Amino acid sequence: MNNKGVFIVIEGLDGSGKTTQARLLAKKLSKKYNIFLTTEPSRGKIGSYIREYYLYEKQRLPTDVEALLFAADRLEHVKKEVVPALDEGKLVICDRYLHSSLAYQGSSGLSIDWIRGINSKALQPDIGIFIDLAPEVVLKRLNRKKSVMETLETQQKVREIYLKFVENGELVRIDGDKPKEDVATNLYSKVTEMIEPLRDSI
Ligand code: TYD
């Protein structure tokens, strides 16, 4: 870690509860730490473009264009918001980050190395969490209009890639198939266990 704060990212399939869990985690951790809770796609101009004009179109963009848009949004978000918050010593909790690009854009056949390459200027997270839930369960939960990403086939492939990052140690798996409060308790204890050695090393 080369800054004063700690950078925590929460990943998961659409409908896995990761946004709720990121909020609950922020609330619990705010008793001990200064928190900056944020999200990707970001609330900046590129992130807003992705959310408002792209995700609910009928067709996906070419996957490499999609990956470049997410990478551009990420770099702007890191420079404008994440790094300044870390420099103030905050714990930054980000709802989706680099592994969303690796898993989602990777699921369409794009090379993981190429995606890593276009994201190489974006900071590596200190702690990466994957809230795991079966694709069949998450798609049933989403009773709103589904985005271009939310087909069973895409979600299955996305989960497989996420699980590879659990295997290689880049992400830590939390079982999302439990009552919300239990997931939150497990997430909080895992993250606090991982934060302490990082804070000690500052
Ligand atoms: P999501 O967190 O579901 O946004 P919201 O809270 O608005 O529902 O993210 C939107 C979608 O964008 C989701 O399907 C995953 C996708 N996505 C990528 O494909 N690549 C990325 O790098 C990121 C950050 C998101």
Side-chain angles (χ1 to χ4, degrees):
M1 199 174 55
N2 52 9
N3 41 49
K4 290 182 284 176
V6 179
F7 186 22
I8 303 164
V9 300
I10 312 286
E11 296 282 356
L13 300 183
D14 302 270
S16 61
K18 66 174 174 38
T19 302
T20 307
Q21 291 302 332
R23 286 194 193 128
L24 291 172
L25 180 67
K27 201 171 159 202
K28 284 175 190 254
L29 286 171
S30 66
K31 299 202 172 96
K32 262 176 105 179
Y33 304 98
N34 271 332
I35 306 291
F36 175 57
L37 176 62
T38 186
T39 183
E40 287 194 5
S42 79
R43 295 179 189 95
K45 283 206 171 134
I46 308 168
S48 304
Y49 168 79
I50 295 173
R51 266 179 213 286
E52 287 163 31
Y53 302 107
Y54 165 54
L55 282 174
Y56 292 91
E57 289 295 307
K58 286 201 178 67
Q59 279 188 332
R60 286 180 71 163
L61 286 167
T63 322
D64 43 7
V65 177
E66 205 176 69
L68 288 162
L69 273 179
F70 283 113
D73 177 44
R74 179 159 305 121
L75 198 52
E76 185 187 32
H77 180 220
V78 164
K79 289 188 175 181
K80 279 201 185 155
E81 301 190 62
V82 176
V83 169
L86 290 170
D87 285 345
E88 287 171 18
K90 291 187 177 152
L91 247 67
V92 176
I93 301 174
C94 191
D95 176 354
R96 292 200 184 282
Y97 189 65
L98 171 66
H99 291 87
S100 284
S101 285
L102 300 176
Y104 280 80
Q105 280 62 58
S107 76
S108 327
L110 218 55
S111 140
I112 302 278
D113 286 345
W114 186 79
I115 306 170
R116 278 202 203 271
I118 60 169
N119 283 280
S120 60
K121 283 187 149 205
L123 203 66
Q124 288 298 317
D126 297 306
I127 298 175
I129 300 288
F130 172 53
I131 312 261
D132 189 23
L133 206 58
E136 293 76 7
V137 178
V138 296
L139 286 177
K140 265 198 208 130
R141 281 190 185 181
L142 294 169
N143 43 24
R144 56 165 168 75
K145 185 174 181 221
K146 294 191 177 38
S147 86
V148 289
M149 308 290 177
E150 292 164 1
T151 65
L152 183 59
E153 199 196 350
T154 300
Q155 299 289 314
Q156 276 166 338
K157 285 192 199 153
V158 169
R159 178 169 182 260
E160 274 169 32
I161 302 179
Y162 272 134
L163 288 175
K164 286 192 183 144
F165 296 124
V166 171
E167 262 169 50
N168 77 5
E170 287 181 45
L171 298 176
V172 172
R173 179 183 176 277
I174 296 283
D175 185 359
D177 198 8
K178 287 193 162 44
K180 186 170 87 179
E181 296 71 25
D182 295 357
V183 178
T185 305
N186 293 343
L187 176 61
Y188 177 73
S189 59
K190 185 40 104 185
V191 168
T192 43
E193 176 193 313
M194 292 173 83
I195 287 176
E196 289 314 324
L198 292 170
R199 301 286 290 191
D200 289 347
S201 68
I202 304 170

